Amino acid sequence: MTLASYSFVLVFLPIALAGFLLLRRQGASVLVAWLLAVSMVFYSWASPLAAIALVVSSIFNYAVGSRLATVVDDSRRRAFWLFLGVGINLAALATVKYAPLFDPGGGFTRGLVSTGIPLALSFYSFQQMSYLIDISRGDSPAPTFGRYLLFVSFFPKLLAGPIARARTLLPQLDSPALRFSTETLASGLTLFGIGLTKKVILADALIPYASVVFTDAAAGRNVMFADAWSGAVAYSLGLYFDFSGYSDMAVGVGLMFGIRLPINFDAPYRAANVRDFWRRWHRTLSNAFFDYVYLPFAMWSRRVTAAGAYAGLLVTMVLCGMWHGAGWTFVAWGALHGGYLMVNYGWRETRKRWRPLPASLATLGAVLSGAMTFLAVIIGWVIFRADDFPTALRMLRAMAAFGSPFAAAPVTPWILVGLAIVWLAPTSQSIVGLDLEGFHDANATRWWQWRPSPAWGIGTAMATIAALFFLSGRQGDFIYFKF
Amino acid sequence: MARIASPSRFLWAYVITVSLAALSCGLSAVVLWRAHELSSYRDDVALQQRQHALLGLATFQNFYEYKLSLVAARRSPVLALGSSRIMQLREELFVDGFTNAGGAMNSAEQGRRFLEALPADYHPQLLMLGVDFWWFRREWSDPGDDPRYRDPSQLSPARLRHPYLWLADPRMGIRRIVRLVVSGNIGSTLTSQASVGVQAMVSASGFRPDGSYQYGDHYFGTAAEPDVRFGISLGRIDRQDTAFGPGTDPDPASLSAIDDVLRWAAARHVRVAMFLPPVAPPVRRAMIARPDAFGYVVALTRALEHTARASNVEFYDFLWREAPEAADPCEYVDGIHGGDVVFGRMLLAMAAGSMLAQTVDRAEVRHAIDVYRGHTVTPLDGVRYARPEADFLRLGCVK
């Protein structure tokens, strides 16, 4: 069951919400118990074994976290427990993610996949490691086990994020009823409708088109220049609408229950440079990598060499690539973005020594920089999407027109619609009037911004219904589930 | 949050809109469900075989998947495979069991896929392979497979619209829809057959239990766009659109797919009779008059003859050679679909001195030809039609 499925929208969510509303005045513990129960049902729906694995993992991490909370002032014991906790999470993650590399017959991998255990493991493992690090730093409250388990398993964000940090999510679970209101319910419904529309109408129109082109390339067929570009751009847009749509839906569902989840996308294809891109794309993952990998590594390596910051960027992004899956294309994608960030870092260091540009040149520079960033990101997505290096090279060669015939572009209108939206339209959160932490922004008063009027109620309902119609026969799987 | 004045008004508007939509969709879905329009093909085929019914869904069409389910359910010793152009081959004309998988093969490659997709424990003893000339144009593309439209149980917005359109259709209307919901089947006023699906109920059009097609709305002269004096087909030749587009030499990939089909058959000791189905005589003449566009058909015929000889299978050309069996325009459904009598004549010609002699019920075929000469449909299955066959092509045929 995904957030974009009939079983979720028409059955699971109404029941979960109705129960929540009925129990709303029964106290925080009852509400936490209800949310925990529905989260477990949600996850068990996919695989009961996966739910058991999640509970076992949570018990282990909660125990380590409780231990860490008592030894915050003892650096040696703190380091021991932190390494133990993070190490075991990493080992479990690596075993599941990288099993295919060491299992040529594929029997173990198939068995593992059939249990359903890999589903969501990356996300909840990452979240638990962040909890352990935060609690070792004294940055996180120490919750009860029930609240901790809900922090890990809260169903809207369980399968593909956003990755919520303990210090922002756990305090909300102390008294969810106090944070729920008809306002959060109404805005949550709106954000959910926007996300569903992005996923079902936009992403599902673009991804199949891209798949045809990438499949041709994987089969060794000659891909033409225009097809290659159309496929690459369609995939870039489709991936964005798919994942940001899912994130909007997750944040929207959270809001319906009065729980604020962080915003995961902030118009990434309008980024001025690659550094800016990573502040806007999958924000919760990139922020976590920045805090837990880049900063410690850069600070440590700077003591050894001046190039520590550069090395930190490369290592962080390679690890980020590896987090996405077992495949050298993911490593290459991470390394490519690491390279982009190193160039960006070097450029910024150089620019610091120059005089500021005149305003007209600065504007031109910003436009060029934005265009180059978009291009660089698309090239990265080609490697990310390709099944293997020969496929990626075939696509990139065709895009560079090397040995590839030029033909009239069969550009689907969806690509033009998608480009117009990612470059010009307001983001989902700005329409609903949320800041990047998922809280309502009191300054959101523009004409196109959401307000709780009957017209918006009717419009939101009709958009959701239209998306549900488009959903028929697709039961939309999300691309990011496989990571 | 101060700017949010009245979220309860938003919620009421939301709930009312969703409720109205849910109600209208729910009503529509109930009508579709009661009409068996939402059952899986597997269930529809089971019901069709049980009731010996005509299956014609008004809101969904995937011949490939339907025929796969049908063939798997019937497991007949004789199987006809091809496009809609062979759908008038009927089980009454054969001695042994027969299933028509016409409509499932709209390219050579799709035919190969169809045979590969058959149950592993079934293969026919005789395969009648109808081949369309346009598959061998290089521009002809394989229809592929869209998982979104594989089975009638997959609901779509367009399908939910239909029951509301039926309200304004004089053949249905509110009273028949209510009867349909209550009884689950309103039968057909046009024939004595049991019906599965609304198209079968309102126009007596659909697949018979053997997979052959009954063009009820054509026979009765009520089809929306009959091919009057073959004007539509001849216009397509003039415009050279879709199937009638020009070709140069036969596409090697499609010939190779035919080779694969014959290899599939040889590996299972399945006898094969391959044939080019006819087009109506005026259409054939118009094609021959355009060697620039249809010259490739000559090369195709030779290539198929060669392939058939090499694979030791029988081959019959009813398309390009002057075929007396296919010479009466009154016996056609339209410019490219021969009727029952045309196919009866073809079967007799094919059975003369060939392996088909023991398979074709020649006495029954001769009887059908004698009785229904000049007609399109031969009601050999005992179905009673409410009206006589009309001169729907307006050729002045005496019916």
Side-chain angles (χ1 to χ4, degrees), chain A residues 104-345:
Chain A
F108 174 72
T109 309
R110 277 194 296 278
L112 197 61
V113 169
S114 70
T115 64
I117 288 174
L119 184 67
L121 181 76
S122 302
F123 284 94
Y124 74 68
S125 296
F126 204 90
Q127 185 155 320
Q128 297 198 94
M129 285 189 282
S130 89
Y131 164 74
L132 294 179
I133 296 168
D134 283 353
I135 208 162
S136 76
R137 292 172 176 174
D139 283 348
S140 168
T144 62
F145 180 67
R147 282 177 171 74
Y148 177 76
L149 191 53
L150 180 58
F151 155 73
V152 176
S153 66
F154 184 44
F155 68 90
K157 54 130 189 100
L158 177 60
L159 298 182
I163 297 168
R165 304 282 273 273
R167 62 171 176 261
T168 56
L169 185 50
L170 279 173
Q172 297 187 59
L173 303 183
D174 285 338
S175 52
L178 297 180
R179 295 163 195 269
F180 169 84
S181 66
T182 48
E183 290 95 334
T184 61
L185 177 58
S187 55
L189 285 168
T190 306
L191 194 55
F192 183 83
I194 294 172
L196 188 65
T197 307
K198 280 162 83 171
K199 157 67 186 161
V200 174
I201 296 180
L202 295 169
D204 286 357
L206 288 159
I207 293 295
Y209 179 78
S211 296
V212 170
V213 178
F214 276 92
T215 304
D216 274 356
R221 287 190 276 274
N222 201 13
V223 180
M224 294 188 182
F225 175 81
D227 286 334
W229 272 104
S230 300
V233 174
Y235 181 73
S236 305
L237 294 171
L239 182 65
Y240 167 70
F241 288 126
D242 184 273
F243 194 19
S244 73
Y246 180 88
S247 298
D248 290 344
M249 291 163 74
V251 176
V253 174
L255 273 176
M256 290 180 208
F257 294 91
I259 292 173
R260 275 78 170 176
L261 297 171
I263 300 296
N264 225 0
F265 291 86
D266 186 21
Y269 292 146
R270 283 178 231 167
N273 52 57
V274 173
R275 184 174 174 234
D276 189 27
F277 173 80
W278 281 106
R279 286 179 181 148
R280 293 163 174 262
W281 180 274
H282 204 173
R283 293 177 60 252
T284 57
L285 180 74
S286 49
N287 286 348
F289 266 100
F290 182 79
D291 285 355
Y292 302 134
V293 181
Y294 174 73
L295 277 183
F297 185 88
M299 286 170 72
W300 168 79
S301 60
R302 264 179 175 160
R303 283 185 231 139
V304 184
T305 162
Y310 289 96
L313 290 168
L314 187 63
V315 168
T316 303
M317 291 313 297
V318 167
L319 288 174
C320 180
M322 291 170 69
W323 178 85
H324 282 84
W328 288 109
T329 50
F330 291 120
V331 175
W333 171 77
L336 181 70
H337 271 275
Y340 289 161
L341 287 167
M342 288 161 69
V343 171
N344 174 270
Y345 185 84

Side-chain angles (χ1 to χ4, degrees), chain A residues 182-183 185-186 189-190 260 432 440-442 444 450 452-454 456-458 460-462 464-465 469 472-474, chain B residues 1-11 13-15 17-18 21-22 25 147-149 154-158 160:
Chain A
T182 48
E183 290 95 334
L185 177 58
L189 285 168
T190 306
R260 275 78 170 176
V432 181
H440 282 95
D441 178 2
W450 179 82
S453 62
W456 270 94
I458 293 169
T460 301
M462 290 177 75
T464 306
I465 292 162
F469 271 125
S472 61
R474 299 183 189 180
Chain B
M1 205 71 75
R3 72 192 178 81
I4 299 175
S6 178
S8 60
R9 291 173 65 198
F10 171 98
L11 292 173
Y14 185 94
V15 168
T17 309
V18 167
C25 292
R148 285 176 294 172
Y149 304 107
Q154 293 166 328
L155 198 54
S156 73
L160 283 172

Side-chain angles (χ1 to χ4, degrees), chain A residues 355-368:
Chain A
R355 278 183 299 177
L357 292 170
S360 56
L361 277 181
T363 307
L364 180 66
V367 171
L368 282 176

Side-chain angles (χ1 to χ4, degrees), chain B residues 271-393:
Chain B
R271 294 172 297 146
V272 179
M274 181 163 61
F275 62 101
L276 283 164
V279 292
V283 175
R284 178 176 167 274
R285 284 195 293 274
M287 287 173 63
I288 289 173
R290 294 287 305 271
D292 56 320
F294 299 104
Y296 77 96
V297 180
V298 179
L300 168 66
T301 311
R302 286 199 201 107
L304 290 176
E305 273 171 356
H306 175 77
T307 301
R309 258 199 311 277
S311 304
N312 197 27
V313 307
E314 296 182 7
F315 174 69
Y316 304 91
D317 172 16
F318 297 102
L319 173 73
W320 214 244
R321 76 172 175 87
E322 187 79 44
E325 303 83 9
D328 186 348
C330 292
E331 293 171 354
Y332 280 79
V333 177
D334 58 31
I336 57 172
H337 294 96
D340 297 7
V341 180
V342 173
F343 276 86
R345 292 183 203 281
M346 284 165 48
L347 271 184
L348 276 188
M350 291 159 84
S354 85
M355 65 178 179
L356 290 171
Q358 304 303 315
T359 309
V360 174
D361 187 343
R362 286 187 282 183
E364 183 73 4
V365 175
R366 282 196 196 97
H367 169 73
I369 292 170
D370 290 343
V371 174
Y372 297 102
R373 187 183 305 275
H375 287 69
T376 307
V377 67
T378 56
L380 302 172
D381 48 3
V383 170
R384 293 187 306 280
Y385 295 88
R387 301 179 202 165
E389 184 176 321
D391 178 24
F392 54 89
L393 296 174

Side-chain angles (χ1 to χ4, degrees), chain B residues 228-251:
Chain B
V228 174
R229 288 188 275 280
F230 304 114
I232 293 175
S233 301
L234 295 172
R236 290 176 67 187
I237 291 174
D238 283 344
R239 292 192 306 278
Q240 300 194 343
D241 71 342
T242 53
F244 292 100
T248 48
D249 51 332
D251 174 34

Side-chain angles (χ1 to χ4, degrees), chain A residues 4-94:
Chain A
S5 64
Y6 288 129
S7 46
F8 180 82
V9 179
L10 302 179
V11 181
F12 182 87
L13 183 59
I15 291 172
L17 204 50
F20 182 84
L21 294 174
L22 284 173
L23 298 169
R24 172 158 86 94
R25 301 192 194 288
Q26 301 299 314
S29 297
V30 174
L31 283 179
V32 166
W34 172 253
L35 289 176
L36 196 49
V38 292
S39 295
M40 284 298 144
V41 170
F42 178 82
Y43 200 36
S44 303
W45 198 301
S47 159
L49 272 177
I52 292 169
L54 179 141
V55 173
V56 169
S57 168
S58 298
I59 291 170
F60 167 76
N61 282 287
Y62 181 73
V64 173
S66 301
R67 194 74 193 144
L68 272 168
T70 63
V71 297
V72 169
D73 298 327
D74 182 341
S75 59
R76 281 184 60 194
R77 292 174 69 196
R78 188 182 64 195
F80 168 77
W81 284 106
L82 183 61
F83 273 107
L84 179 76
V86 171
I88 286 181
N89 277 297
L90 282 176
L93 197 56

